[in-house]
Structure formats: structure tokens, C-alpha cells
């Protein structure tokens, strides 16, 4: 009896204790939630992106799986659509340089995406300027970032054919290319490279390509290179420029161009787009 009375008394005390200052309780809850949200945001916006900068595999999981899926669900849009939105908002129509800048800013500060990027992009630019090609083939358009970079450095009357087999990406790329004002020089062809390469001569009146930029699925680099050779699309002096030879990597292709007597090959060391992970471009001159 004594015990139960004590218990009731204590219980009553507790109730009075919290009831005396309800504001305190809500404030504590509010601070807790705000602090938690701020911590999660800092992790999402700065800590994790900074940590995965140095690791290709972690970068892949973070940017390409977790963040992309989360933003797709939250915004009911796709990454290429958001990238196009950034171009339309921040780039000047008809100014390819501003389009490239807007995409790089978006990918560095908002959402990573697999464009060749600003660092490797400078190497790409200098190869294009050095070759001064009349005919260029790009494998894997994605959102049209490298397409714009290449097209804006082509001499008058030069032609760039870019292949993309994902119709959703092709829709975006066409708008990015048009926004940059380089659509006159670019022919975006929808379909798989393996289907189009054998038809290049008859369908597009191509004799040979002066430059081929490979940036599609990494395991397609080697079979498509052999296909271009078979189809007579390479002449003595044609240049193959391959992205991502280190990360994600194209070991069979590298082995082939570096050891084949038909190529003179050189590696340009750089970094995976928008990160500090090593990657680079391989420039291979076809010797005939
Ligand atoms: C495809 C990649 C693919 C897409 C683009 C990079 C026509 C990275 C990477 C990368 C299109 C084709 C794909 C064929 N179009 N496409 C095609 N095969 O090309 C990944 C990283 C970095 N025919 O996977 O629709 N590129 C490109 C990602 C590195 O538009 O290029 O620069 C990391 C995450 C690290 F953590 C594939 C032949 C069937
Ligand atoms: Mg690439």
C-alpha cells in the first residue's frame, strides 16, 4: 500500500515536471530535428562528395546509384533533363562555350554526370584543333557535351556524326546541341554503333573519318574499332581518341592499340570528370 502510493506520487511528479514547461520540450525537439537535417544535408552536399572524389568505385555508387535515383524520385525527372534545364537557365543561346561552362558547373556543384568534363575536355579540344578534321565520328553522345566541344572547334564545312542508341538521351542531346548553335555541323544518329558503322559509307557518303571519339560502353571500344577497320572507315593518319581508358577502364582496347603494329598510341594522363581519380585519354594514330 505504501509502495503503490509512493509510485503514484512519483508518477504525478513526473507529469507535473514535463507539463510545467511544454515549450522547452518542443524547442528541444525542433533543435534536434533541425540539427539532424543540417547534418544529413552537410553529409549529402559536402562530406560524402568530398570523400568519394578519390575513389572511382565509390563515386560510381554514390553519384550514379544513390544520388541519381533519389533525385529522379524526388523531382520526377531524369539527370539528363535536369542537365538540360541548367543549360537553358544558365547558358547563352548560340554560345557553345557558355553551354560547356553551364554543364561543367552543374556537374561539379550539383550533380555529377559522365561527360568527358572540363579537364579531359581540354585535351580533347587540343587534339581536335591539331587534327583540324573534316569528318568526325563520335560513339556515345549522352547529353551532347563532347559533341558541342568538338563541333565548336571544327573548320567550316566539317561534319560530325554522333551515334546514340538511347532515345531519351538523344532527345536531350539534340536540344543541348541546338542551344549551343552547332546543329549545322552535327548529325545525331540514333541507333547502335554496331548497326551504323557498316552503313556509314552508303548512308552518309563518308570515305574515311579523320577523327573518331570513343565514349560509349567501354566493352564496345575494341569490337567497334575492328569493325571500323573492316569497313574501311580508317585511313593512314586517322586518329582514334578514347575516353575512360583507366576509369572505368578499357583493358582489351588499350592492349590492342598499344601492341598492334597498325597503331601508334599515346596516353594523356588526366582525371575522371569532376573528380581527382586518375583517368585519361588514349590517342591512337592508324598507320594503315
Ligand atoms: C549510351 C562512363 C552506349 C550513353 C553513352 C565516363 C550507341 C564513370 C560510361 C563514361 C551510349 C551507345 C554511354 C552503342 N550508343 N551508348 C552504345 N553504347 O553512349 C562511365 C564513367 C565515366 N551504340 O559508362 O546510351 N560511358 C556511355 C561512371 C566512371 O549515352 O563515359 O566518362 C564512375 C562512374 C566512374 F564512378 C558509357 C553500342 C551498343
Ligand atoms: Mg566517358
Amino acid at each position: 500500500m505504501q509502495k503503490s502510493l509512493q509510485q503514484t506520487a512519483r508518477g504525478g511528479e513526473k507529469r507535473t515536471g514535463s507539463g510545467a514547461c511544454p515549450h522547452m520540450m518542443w524547442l528541444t525537439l525542433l533543435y534536434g530535428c533541425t540539427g539532424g537535417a543540417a547534418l544529413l544535408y552537410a553529409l549529402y552536399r559536402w562530406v560524402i562528395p568530398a570523400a568519394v572524389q578519390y575513389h572511382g568505385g565509390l563515386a560510381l555508387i554514390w553519384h550514379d546509384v544513390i544520388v541519381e535515383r533519389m533525385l529522379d524520385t524526388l523531382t520526377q525527372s531524369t539527370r539528363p533533363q535536369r542537365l538540360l534545364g541548367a543549360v537553358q537557365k544558365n547558358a547563352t543561346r548560340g554560345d557553345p562555350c557558355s553551354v560547356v561552362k553551364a554543364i561543367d558547373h552543374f556537374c561539379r556543384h550539383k550533380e555529377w554526370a559522365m561527360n568527358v568534363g572540363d579537364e579531359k575536355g581540354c585535351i580533347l579540344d587540343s587534339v581536335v584543333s591539331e587534327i583540324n578534321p573534316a569528318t568526325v565520328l563520335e560513339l556515345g553522345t549522352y547529353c551532347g557535351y563532347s559533341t558541342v566541344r568538338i563541333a565548336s572547334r571544327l573548320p567550316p564545312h566539317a561534319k560530325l556524326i554522333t551515334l546514340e542508341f538511347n532515345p531519351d538521351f538523344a532527345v536531350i542531346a539534340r536540344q543541348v546541341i541546338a542551344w549551343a548553335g552547332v546543329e549545322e555541323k552535327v548529325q545525331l544518329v540514333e541507333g547502335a554503333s554496331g548497326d551504323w558503322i557498316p552503313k556509314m559509307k552508303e548512308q552518309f557518303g563518308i570515305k574515311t573519318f579523320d577523327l573518331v571519339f570513343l565514349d560509349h560502353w567501354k566493352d564496345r571500344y575494341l569490337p567497334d574499332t575492328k569493325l571500323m577497320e573492316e569497313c574501311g572507315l580508317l585511313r593512314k593518319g586517322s586518329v582514334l581518341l578514347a575516353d575512360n581508358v583507366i576509369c572505368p577502364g578499357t583493358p582489351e582496347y588499350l592492349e590492342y592499340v598499344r601492341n598492334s603494329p597498325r597503331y601508334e598510341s599515346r596516353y594523356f594522363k588526366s582525371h575522371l570528370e569532376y573528380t581527382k581519380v586518375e583517368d585519361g585519354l588514349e590517342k591512337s594514330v592508324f598507320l594503315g
Side-chain angles (χ1 to χ4, degrees), residues 108-123:
R108 213 172 255 293
H109 303 287
K110 299 255 160 64
E111 265 187 82
W112 184 93
M114 58 174 177
N115 316 120
V116 71
D118 37 14
E119 208 186 319
K120 286 181 289 176
C122 287
I123 303 171

Side-chain angles (χ1 to χ4, degrees), residues 56 60 112 140 142 164-165 169 191 193 215 217-218 243-244 273:
L60 174 78
W112 184 93
Y142 189 45
E164 175 53 58
F165 78 165
F169 295 167
S193 51
D215 194 18
W217 298 139
K218 308 313 153 197
D243 188 27
N244 308 118
E273 50 267 31

Side-chain angles (χ1 to χ4, degrees), residues 3 10-11 17 20 37 40 73 75 99 104 112 117 123 140 185 192 220-221 223 234 240 252 257 266 273 287:
K3 210 176 182 186
R10 243 188 267 134
L40 281 178
T73 318
T75 63
V99 170
D104 283 330
W112 184 93
I123 303 171
K185 295 193 159 159
R220 300 307 306 168
Y221 284 23
L234 304 179
L240 306 183
E252 312 91 3
V257 290
R266 193 193 143 186
E273 50 267 31
L287 302 175

Side-chain angles (χ1 to χ4, degrees), residues 213-248:
F213 181 56
L214 300 94
D215 194 18
H216 57 337
W217 298 139
K218 308 313 153 197
D219 59 357
R220 300 307 306 168
Y221 284 23
L222 184 54
D224 282 345
T225 297
K226 288 179 174 167
L227 191 57
M228 288 187 288
E229 288 175 12
E230 276 166 32
C231 296
L233 287 169
L234 304 179
R235 52 144 177 103
K236 188 176 161 67
S238 287
V239 172
L240 306 183
L241 190 66
D243 188 27
N244 308 118
V245 295
I246 305 298
C247 180

